[in-house]
Amino acid sequence: QVQLVESGGGLAQPGGSLRLSCAASGSRYSLRNMAWYRQPPGKQRELVADISSGGSTNYADAVKGRFTISRDNAKSTVYLQMNSLNPEDTAVYYCNVKYETSYRTVLQYWGQGTQVTVSS
């Protein structure tokens, strides 16, 4: 059974930094895309950043230049370094991973979510 263990959320002051981690385990298939989404209070879930198995990255306009997504394939772990945080970054952050089976089927899994609050 696939498990995604997220860590690193919490409270930060405006202008501060936090680093999120998400470790995936339990699948025998090939780990492909890894991503972070967030859901601000009262709003829909949105993509923050994603990274392919080859290291190509994509960012939402709101976080470009402030957030950096990276991955450690040996550890099946994805990271999100968040700098210059502002109150609009307050949200529950979710890890998302996609595996590809030998039949080219994509299996998607979500983490449990970690709260990030930016406030003075």
Side-chain angles (χ1 to χ4, degrees):
Q1 184 168 348
V2 173
Q3 281 193 316
L4 300 181
V5 179
E6 300 178 6
S7 61
L11 176 65
Q13 291 190 340
S17 298
L18 286 173
R19 188 189 193 216
L20 306 182
S21 300
C22 173
S25 63
S27 175
R28 59 189 177 94
Y29 298 121
S30 298
L31 182 57
R32 298 304 188 201
N33 201 61
M34 306 182 82
W36 288 97
Y37 286 74
R38 68 185 181 185
Q39 187 164 14
K43 297 184 178 181
Q44 291 188 336
R45 193 174 299 189
E46 61 187 15
L47 176 68
V48 176
D50 62 19
I51 183 167
S52 70
S53 56
S56 297
T57 58
N58 175 52
Y59 295 92
D61 288 343
V63 306
K64 281 181 181 176
R66 300 188 298 121
F67 291 10
T68 301
I69 189 170
S70 60
R71 63 189 284 170
D72 183 333
N73 289 328
K75 297 180 179 179
S76 298
T77 299
V78 62
Y79 305 96
L80 185 68
Q81 178 66 43
M82 304 185 292
N83 298 330
S84 301
L85 286 163
N86 59 60
E88 288 70 40
D89 296 317
T90 295
V92 178
Y93 284 71
Y94 296 92
C95 173
N96 174 277
V97 301
K98 293 182 175 66
Y99 292 90
E100 185 177 13
T101 72
S102 54
Y103 297 98
R104 299 293 179 95
T105 300
V106 176
L107 305 175
Q108 178 175 232
Y109 299 92
W110 292 92
Q112 78 280 7
T114 185
Q115 178 70 46
V116 171
T117 302
V118 183
S119 174
S120 56

